């Protein structure tokens, strides 16, 4: 199963404000059967507007740095090609999906269905009700090193989120041979090399006659009401 752990950085909180807030960075990490493949997507984007100081304080991405970067319409298809139909793992998915789909719509590209996103914030709140569920809080809970996260950054945050997601779902130990078995079955192959074969001869009893007699005497002492007396 292919999954894309994804994060964005933006100029603000709502793409439909006036003036529009825009995406300035996308970072994504590919997982295959919940194991990182090493394949990533990373893109800075010119938002075609000034960067508000409040947003700059969060991610440190400024106007001068973004001036020569492509606009979203120029990278939209490459982004869609990378994501494909994979499940997108996003912390607070509603926020990122709202921005991504606004940008895709403005660029006259297909939008992404909301059910293609898996929200790790909701997973964390279900698992740890009443506890902080920010990315930093989850890193502290799981002992994940986030010391490099002085400011928000889409690629770094997606890499950290991938570790958090694996901890949340127990994905650090993939199903190994079971995945191979399912592949054989789904493809209709008859390779039975993985199947355990029966023992050529049954194992001999391990109980001695003396131990059997001692057990029978113990059960007899329990009387007729003992559950063992119902089976023979």
């Amino acid at each position: 199963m292919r999954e894309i752990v994804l994060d964005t950085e933006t100029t603000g909180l709502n793409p439909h404000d006036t003036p529009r807030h825009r995406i300035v960075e996308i970072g994504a990490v590919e997982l295959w059967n919940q194991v990182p493949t090493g394949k990533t997507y990373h893109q800075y984007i010119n938002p075609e507007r000034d960067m508000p100081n409040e947003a700059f304080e969060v991610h440190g991405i400024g106007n001068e740095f973004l001036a020569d970067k492509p606009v979203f319409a120029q990278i939209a298809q490459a982004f869609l090609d990378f994501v494909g139909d994979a499940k997108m793992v996003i912390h607070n998915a509603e926020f990122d999906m709202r921005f991504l789909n606004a940008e895709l719509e403005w660029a006259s590209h297909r939008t992404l269905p909301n059910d293609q996103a898996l929200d790790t914030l909701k997973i964390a709140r279900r698992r740890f009700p009443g506890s902080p569920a920010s990315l930093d809080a989850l890193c502290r809970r799981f002992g994940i090193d986030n010391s490099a996260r002085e400011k928000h950054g889409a690629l770094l945050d997606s890499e950290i989120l991938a570790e958090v997601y694996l901890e949340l779902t127990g994905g650090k130990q993939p199903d190994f041979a079971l995945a191979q078995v399912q592949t054989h079955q789904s493809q209709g192959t008859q390779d039975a090399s993985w199947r355990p074969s029966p023992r050529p001869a049954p194992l001999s009893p391990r109980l001695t006659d003396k131990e059997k007699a001692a057990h029978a005497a113990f059960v007899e002492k329990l009387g007729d009401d003992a559950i063992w007396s119902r089976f023979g």
Side-chain angles (χ1 to χ4, degrees), residues 20-133:
R20 290 173 173 175
H21 282 300
R22 308 292 298 269
I23 293 176
V24 297
E25 184 186 12
I26 302 174
V29 175
E30 182 185 66
L31 304 180
W32 188 262
N33 288 335
Q34 295 196 322
V35 176
T37 65
K39 187 175 181 180
T40 62
Y41 175 90
H42 186 219
Q43 182 65 60
Y44 289 107
I45 301 161
N46 185 334
E48 303 179 273
R49 56 155 291 163
D50 288 338
M51 179 67 67
N53 189 61
E54 312 87 73
F56 179 78
E57 291 298 321
V58 172
H59 49 58
I61 304 172
N63 296 318
E64 185 177 350
F65 176 78
L66 294 171
D68 63 348
K69 302 301 184 288
V71 299
F72 190 90
Q74 293 174 300
I75 62 91
Q77 189 58 55
F79 168 71
L80 288 171
D81 290 344
F82 180 82
V83 171
D85 59 358
K87 181 69 74 175
M88 294 179 292
V89 179
I90 307 173
H91 203 66
N92 193 12
E94 183 180 349
F95 176 88
D96 298 80
M97 291 295 287
R98 184 166 62 242
F99 267 94
L100 287 168
N101 280 332
E103 292 280 11
L104 288 166
E105 185 176 345
W106 296 333
S108 301
H109 281 268
R110 68 173 179 87
T111 57
L112 296 162
N114 286 322
D115 61 4
Q116 193 174 339
L118 179 68
D119 193 344
T120 50
L121 179 61
K122 291 181 179 179
I123 296 173
R125 285 175 173 168
R126 284 197 301 268
R127 281 200 59 186
F128 311 113
S131 297

